[in-house]
Amino acid sequence: MFSLDLGSSSRYCDGVSRRDFLQLGVAGMASLGLPDVLRAKAASAQSPASSKSTSVILIWLDGGPGHMDMYDMKPDAPGEYRGIWKPIRTKVPGFDITELFPKQAQVTDKFSMVRSLYHDTGDHFAGGHRMLTTKDMGVSGANNAQKFPGIGAIVNRELGSRVNGMPGYTATPHAASIGIAPGYFGAHMLGAQHDPFLTGDPSVANFQVPNLNLANGLTLEKMEDRRSLLTHFDSKRKHLDAHPTAQAMDRFGREAYEFVTGPTAREAFAISKESTRLRDRYGRDTWGQSTLLARRLVEAGSTFVTVHFGGWDHHWDLKTGYENYLPKVDRAVSALFTDLDDRGLLDTTLVVLCGEFSRTPKMNDGGNGGAPMSQGTPGRDHWGNAMFCLMGGGGVKGGQVVGSTDRLGQRPHTRAVTPSNIHATIYQVLGIDPKLQLLDPSGRPVNVLDDPEPISELL
């Protein structure tokens, strides 16, 4: 057992520190429960869903990014609504975005924007749970325990990885929702074997994935000795060889061994092999390098990869915060779509970018209870009544704007969309039936999605 220190960061308005310590179990050859991940993959291999070899990269803006300052500008609204920045035209007529996104403006033909997403809660935890699991289930800041599996865990259970030797569900640099790790990205009742595999920060010098390290005192030679010993015992128990369980254990054991010792995962995580020029294009920061690593992972065979961009709780001094954050997002997202397209991966890789909710259309006075502007420029507070979600690649049409909000950006005006519709679209892209059911701990079947209709305009 070892701890991965995710480093220090600021507190959000809920008071929860963003300094998280993840306890990562290591037993023998690989992460705890890895053979179970492989069993899930094998179990789904006979399903028609697994024949569609698409993958997903979910870029999670933890803390709540504001639609009015990014992808749903309102230049004709009163000043306290329209905000600080102006919209710019993009490659697609009518698809205007913030002036802080000049690079994305050149690739809007490669992705689409849902402007009419909503779930009607301004609670960080309730919003995060609804966006990552689609379920309400009474989750809130006062009751923030996960109550349903996250979408990545469900995908991992249904499909596993696309290539043997790769984790099916991966998170870079880590998985956390509103300060809880893995939070609503976790597998919950599906079991810890479907939690995301964590990479650590790929922007650090001499980056290595700690989860791939062997347990203390265990070398590849000793592992091979153990395998040889097991083979010897197995040869003395011939009567078990034909038993299906024994055969499955042997196969899953071989795949777990391949994950730790084989070249596939190690090659995928070797981000240093990318050219200096490409790494610079993504940005030499945690967000940029994590996005580049996500591309490497789906290219190598991971099915669902989450990328964590944290710190979006801008109740005040929005100007300073967004002029730091938005250029990083612009660089990473534009580089990802261009890179996927250049490599012939865009048609098989769906990119999704969203957060747990948005920010209030009307800006506050920047005082946070004190004198106006005492905390810097005005900011925006919590808002779940109108949000955005970027989706592109994986067969999703590019250059589309789905839905609209009213003139002040307060609520959907046309084509209202819920988190269930977002998830249904992701499942459709992956080849998973959106009407999928899971068994809850009591054995009762539960619909994964309460509304299994995908966004037809995108497909």
Side-chain angles (χ1 to χ4, degrees), residues 117-326:
L117 175 63
Y118 77 101
H119 54 46
D120 287 345
T121 178
D123 182 291
H124 278 294
F125 298 92
H129 199 270
R130 294 181 195 190
M131 283 300 296
L132 293 171
T133 74
T134 77
K135 304 294 185 180
D136 178 345
M137 303 181 82
V139 172
S140 69
N143 181 21
N144 60 25
Q146 183 179 10
K147 297 188 178 180
F148 200 78
I151 183 172
I154 294 172
V155 169
N156 192 52
R157 176 186 180 273
E158 293 300 302
L159 301 179
S161 66
R162 297 302 189 182
V163 174
N164 288 341
M166 285 296 296
Y169 180 24
T170 312
T172 179
H174 59 268
S177 53
I178 310 94
I180 309 173
Y184 310 138
F185 292 101
H188 190 247
M189 65 189 182
L190 299 182
Q193 67 269 26
H194 295 298
D195 283 347
F197 181 91
L198 310 179
T199 72
D201 185 352
S203 71
V204 301
N206 302 315
F207 165 66
Q208 290 185 335
V209 179
N211 308 53
L212 277 177
N213 292 343
L214 301 177
N216 289 338
L218 185 61
T219 66
L220 292 179
E221 291 76 13
K222 288 182 179 179
M223 286 179 65
E224 185 57 43
D225 288 343
R226 292 185 183 187
R227 293 184 79 224
S228 298
L229 184 61
L230 287 172
T231 301
H232 172 74
F233 283 132
D234 287 344
S235 69
K236 301 301 183 183
R237 301 173 63 182
K238 294 289 188 181
H239 64 284
L240 288 179
D241 285 351
H243 194 283
T245 301
Q247 292 176 343
M249 289 178 64
D250 181 56
R251 181 172 71 257
F252 299 134
R254 285 197 307 269
E255 292 191 26
Y257 181 84
E258 179 184 349
F259 175 72
V260 176
T261 65
T264 307
R266 292 181 184 279
E267 180 69 20
F269 290 123
I271 194 171
S272 61
K273 293 188 176 182
E274 295 289 348
S275 70
T276 298
R277 181 179 179 183
L278 186 62
R279 295 191 72 175
D280 290 344
R281 189 190 305 168
Y282 275 89
R284 292 285 187 154
D285 51 66
T286 300
W287 292 3
Q289 296 305 290
S290 294
T291 307
L292 173 54
L293 181 59
R295 189 230 80 206
R296 289 183 61 86
L297 293 172
V298 297
E299 186 175 31
S302 287
T303 304
F304 201 102
V305 181
T306 66
V307 185
H308 190 272
F309 289 8
W312 291 85
D313 206 22
H314 294 95
H315 288 271
W316 57 85
D317 207 11
L318 186 70
K319 186 175 189 296
T320 299
Y322 273 32
E323 288 182 352
N324 175 24
Y325 280 12
L326 265 57

Side-chain angles (χ1 to χ4, degrees), residues 5 23 62 89 98 107 111 117 125 151 157 162 227 260-261 272 303 311 345 361 375 385 401 413 428 440:
D5 184 354
Q23 296 297 321
D62 198 53
R89 294 180 178 179
T98 177
V107 295
F111 62 82
L117 175 63
F125 298 92
I151 183 172
R157 176 186 180 273
R162 297 302 189 182
R227 293 184 79 224
V260 176
T261 65
S272 61
T303 304
L345 297 171
Q375 298 293 330
N385 304 88
V401 176
H413 176 62
Q428 190 81 17
D440 68 13

